[in-house]
């Protein structure tokens, strides 16, 4: 309250409308799902929105207002100070309360009241609970899309959390930026025709240039790693250690010089050995077999067992096209590697190609099926227990790939209202955690009750499990448009209700 006024009996009429229960609880709403509260339910509750609230704030407010009883009254033609305003304290006919409603017809004698309902709309406008929920969401996260002849910019920001992300599309490149202002962190990715640049908050950059990603073209001012593995590490300039003394650094420099000389000698020896190998590979022994301590040369070798570290694969002209050899692996001392100088194909014309092992790693730029009709996993043969992806899946949604496009009929909304969201644990799960979703049989039942044929809703399907039993499944992405349509209808209803109220 800013001031207190005493009008006493200087009014034409006053009515005591009683007192509300004393305040015993204070609840501060952080958002739609979270809140902090203090007190008990023996009396009235003081409720307010406060996205920055803490438990200490709720406790402090409760200490100030605990036991306060709101005095309801109404009085007519009060000789009130013209400076009085809503929220000021007033004593009228022996009743002390606050001015929650004030009406003045210009005569200088105002009607004042502390009504039992919420504060008047014309003085303290308040939206409905659903609109308030939407407003809180909008206040937390804003998105903007701008378009000019030079660029298209998409931005999402949350001022409360201090987070923002943006994408700028220009003719000469695409820039993506993610910022955390509170933590002082940011990452920027710049993709252009001449290369890719990644910049962090400190200004350090990682550049990949050229038409393809090539480790020899990655340039950075500083590389911090606990372990560096490379097939060929080429360092230019002297290797120095700033925290070493002068003599130790000289010893290292001398060792580097010696290593350089040894490398040059080794390269010369390798060239000599390669020349000798080329000469030997040109020898031919038609109709005969040649054996010495290092080589066996013949037409065809048949044996019950072959042992060796490397097997060179030749084509029909005798030219090498691949090699099978033992090579160090990441999780074992050695591994068998089948290496092809061109394409590599594994084909089983009358069966299935199996890749066995605890882990199968695919090291290639793209991993894709031959054609667009292949499945990843199959009903009755095997399903993936979990799919890990660095980014979200990308689904074909181009208008040119679709037909019979039309709005959603009302029966889909009726089906959605009949489906009960549940939580559950998987019978073959290993973590013991709860999952959220729907039960496929419930979806099938709702489809039948709403007259929706399985061909009208691809979100529900069924197949055969590994034991040959029927198994029902769901495509959860098919439910997203249903909830989007439902949300749009709710928004239209809210706007209609607000127009009627106003």
């Amino acid at each position: 309250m800013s001031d207190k006024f005493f009008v006493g009996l200087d009014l034409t009429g006053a009515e005591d409308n009683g007192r509300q229960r004393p305040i015993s609880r204070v609840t501060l709403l952080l958002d739609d799902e979270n809140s902090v509260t203090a007190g008990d339910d023996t009396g009235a509750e003081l409720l307010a929105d406060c996205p920055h609230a803490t438990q200490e704030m709720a406790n402090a407010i409760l200490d100030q207002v605990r036991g306060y009883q709101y005095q309801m009254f109404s009085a007519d033609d009060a000789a009130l100070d013209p400076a009085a305003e809503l929220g000021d304290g007033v004593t009228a006919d022996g009743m002390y309360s606050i001015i929650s409603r004030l009406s003045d017809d210009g005569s200088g004698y105002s009607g004042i009241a502390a009504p039992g309902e919420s504060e008047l709309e014309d003085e303290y406008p308040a939206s409905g609970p659903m609109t308030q929920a939407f407003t809180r969401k909008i206040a937390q996260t804003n998105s903007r899309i701008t378009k000019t002849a030079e660029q298209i910019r998409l931005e999402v920001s949350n001022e409360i959390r201090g987070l923002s992300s943006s994408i700028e599309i220009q003719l000469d490149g695409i820039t993506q930026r993610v910022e955390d202002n509170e933590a002082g962190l940011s990452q920027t990715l710049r993709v252009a025709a001449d290369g890719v640049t990644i910049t962090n908050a400190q200004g350090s950059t990682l550049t990949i240039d050229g038409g393809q990603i090539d480790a020899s073209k990655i340039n950075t001012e500083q590389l911090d790693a606990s372990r560096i593995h490379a097939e060929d590490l080429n360092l230019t300039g002297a290797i120095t250690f700033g925290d070493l003394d002068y003599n130790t650094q000289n010893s290292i420099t001398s060792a580097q010089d010696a290593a350089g000389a040894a490398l040059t000698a080794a390269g010369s020896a390798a060239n000599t050995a390669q020349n000798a190998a080329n000469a030997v590979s040109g020898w031919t022994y038609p109709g005969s077999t040649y054996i010495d301590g290092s080589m066996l040369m013949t037409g065809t070798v048949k044996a019950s067992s072959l042992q060796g570290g490397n097997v060179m694969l030749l084509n029909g002209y005798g030219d090498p096209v691949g090699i099978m050899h033992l090579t160090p692996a990441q999780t074992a001392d050695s591994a068998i590697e089948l290496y092809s100088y061109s394409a590599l194909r594994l084909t089983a014309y009358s069966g299935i190609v199996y890749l066995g092992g605890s882990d199968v790693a695919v090291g290639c730029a793209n991993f894709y099926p031959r054609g667009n009709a292949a499945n990843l996993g199959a009903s009755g043969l095997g399903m993936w227990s979990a799919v890990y992806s660095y980014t979200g899946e990308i689904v074909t949604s181009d208008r040119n790939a679709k037909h019979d496009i039309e709005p959603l009929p009302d029966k889909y909304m009726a089906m959605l209202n009949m489906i009960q969201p549940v939580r559950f644990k998987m019978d073959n799960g290993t973590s013991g955690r709860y999952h959220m979703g729907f039960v496929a049989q419930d979806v099938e039942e709702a489809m039948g009750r709403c007259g929706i044929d399985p061909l009208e809703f691809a979100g529900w399907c069924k197949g055969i499990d590994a034991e040959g039993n029927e198994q029902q499944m769901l495509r959860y992405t098919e439910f997203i448009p249903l909830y989007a349509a439902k949300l749009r209808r709710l928004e239209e209803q809210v706007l209609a209700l607000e127009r009627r109220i106003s």
Side-chain angles (χ1 to χ4, degrees):
M1 299 180 186
S2 59
D3 288 294
K4 297 181 181 179
F5 299 93
F6 179 80
V7 297
L9 297 177
D10 196 2
L11 41 82
T12 60
E15 183 176 353
D16 186 347
N17 296 322
R19 290 175 175 263
Q20 292 185 347
R21 293 188 303 164
I23 295 176
S24 63
R25 178 182 292 279
V26 172
T27 299
L28 303 178
L29 301 177
L30 299 170
D31 51 40
D32 291 340
E33 294 84 17
N34 303 292
S35 63
V36 292
T37 185
D40 52 48
D41 297 324
T42 58
E45 180 182 24
L46 181 62
L47 188 67
D49 289 325
C50 184
H52 305 292
T54 63
Q55 187 61 54
E56 291 75 11
M57 292 172 60
N59 295 338
I61 295 174
L62 180 62
D63 290 340
Q64 294 294 323
V65 301
R66 184 193 296 271
Y68 173 77
Q69 290 181 271
Y70 178 64
Q71 170 68 58
M72 298 175 289
F73 80 97
S74 61
D76 300 325
D77 297 333
L80 197 65
D81 190 311
E85 57 185 10
L86 294 178
D88 289 340
V90 64
T91 300
D93 196 20
M95 296 175 292
Y96 177 76
S97 185
I98 62 173
I99 303 175
S100 297
R101 183 169 59 194
L102 189 149
S103 60
D104 190 352
D105 58 2
S107 64
Y109 293 89
S110 304
I112 58 176
E117 66 270 15
S118 300
E119 296 166 328
L120 296 179
E121 284 289 329
D122 57 354
E123 188 67 31
Y124 295 112
S127 303
M130 186 172 297
T131 303
Q132 290 177 338
F134 284 137
T135 302
R136 283 194 293 272
K137 290 298 184 183
I138 294 173
Q140 292 176 1
T141 303
N142 291 313
S143 61
R144 290 181 291 276
I145 301 177
T146 58
K147 178 181 180 298
T148 65
E150 291 79 18
Q151 72 171 12
I152 299 175
R153 177 180 174 86
L154 297 86
E155 181 179 2
V156 178
S157 62
N158 187 312
E159 297 182 358
I160 296 177
R161 300 178 58 189
L163 300 175
S164 65
S165 299
S166 64
I167 299 177
E168 294 183 4
I169 303 176
Q170 297 175 317
L171 185 62
D172 60 346
I174 300 175
T175 303
Q176 303 180 52
R177 182 177 293 105
V178 179
E179 297 182 74
D180 185 340
N181 295 325
E182 293 186 359
L185 301 176
S186 67
Q187 298 290 334
T188 301
L189 173 63
R190 170 71 177 176
V191 181
D194 59 350
V196 178
T197 303
I198 302 174
T199 307
N200 64 10
Q202 288 72 36
S204 299
T205 61
L206 172 64
T207 302
I208 304 173
D209 59 13
Q212 60 183 353
I213 298 177
D214 187 349
S216 65
K217 296 180 180 180
I218 297 179
N219 303 315
T220 180
E221 297 177 0
Q222 179 177 349
L223 180 62
D224 185 9
S226 59
R227 179 176 179 267
I228 300 176
H229 173 75
E231 294 291 337
D232 183 14
L233 184 61
N234 184 13
L235 302 176
T236 59
I239 301 176
T240 60
F241 301 88
D243 57 347
L244 297 180
D245 59 70
Y246 179 81
N247 293 330
T248 304
Q249 182 61 58
N250 284 340
S251 299
I252 294 176
T253 303
S254 299
Q256 289 175 342
D257 295 338
L263 180 61
T264 301
S268 177
N271 290 333
T272 302
Q274 184 61 48
N275 293 333
N278 292 337
V280 173
S281 64
W283 297 351
T284 57
Y285 300 89
S288 63
T289 298
Y290 173 83
I291 301 176
D292 63 17
S294 62
M295 182 182 300
L296 184 152
M297 298 181 64
T298 186
T300 301
V301 176
K302 293 184 178 180
S304 59
S305 176
L306 290 176
Q307 298 181 5
N310 297 298
V311 178
M312 182 69 69
L313 304 178
L314 309 178
N315 62 12
Y317 301 98
D319 299 323
V321 295
I323 187 172
M324 182 171 62
H325 63 95
L326 297 178
T327 180
Q330 294 181 354
T331 57
D333 294 335
S334 60
I336 299 176
E337 181 183 61
L338 181 59
Y339 184 88
S340 173
Y341 297 146
S342 183
L344 179 63
R345 175 184 295 173
L346 299 177
T347 304
Y349 288 103
S350 60
I352 301 175
V353 178
Y354 291 94
L355 297 177
S358 59
D359 294 287
V360 177
V362 179
C364 57
N366 297 289
F367 182 71
Y368 56 89
R370 190 176 182 183
N372 294 328
N375 297 323
L376 185 61
S379 174
L381 296 177
M383 298 182 179
W384 301 98
S385 61
V387 178
Y388 295 86
S389 174
Y390 192 75
T391 60
E393 64 177 356
I394 301 175
V395 180
T396 299
S397 189
D398 191 278
R399 177 180 293 273
N400 297 322
K402 303 176 181 181
H403 63 280
D404 293 341
I405 302 173
E406 60 185 11
L408 294 177
D410 290 339
K411 60 183 179 180
Y412 288 90
M413 298 296 99
M415 178 195 73
L416 189 62
N417 291 334
M418 295 180 184
I419 303 173
Q420 176 65 39
V422 296
R423 74 170 188 170
F424 51 86
K425 294 183 179 180
M426 300 300 296
D427 291 343
N428 296 326
T430 58
S431 65
R433 295 186 298 177
Y434 276 103
H435 298 267
M436 309 297 170
F438 307 121
V439 177
Q441 283 79 0
D442 295 345
V443 176
E444 180 186 26
E445 179 182 354
M447 290 169 58
R449 293 173 61 185
C450 295
I452 298 176
D453 188 85
L455 292 178
E456 293 181 280
F457 184 53
W460 175 89
C461 52
K462 65 180 179 179
I464 304 299
D465 62 15
E467 287 73 30
N469 302 316
E470 181 184 279
Q471 187 177 54
Q472 297 192 18
M473 294 159 283
L474 297 175
R475 288 190 182 100
Y476 280 97
T477 53
E478 297 284 339
F479 289 86
I480 296 176
L482 299 182
Y483 280 105
K486 187 175 182 65
L487 179 59
R488 179 173 295 178
R489 293 190 179 186
L490 290 175
E491 289 178 338
E492 292 173 353
Q493 293 174 2
V494 170
L495 291 175
L497 288 174
E498 290 182 343
R499 285 194 293 267
R500 291 174 57 186
I501 293 174
S502 61

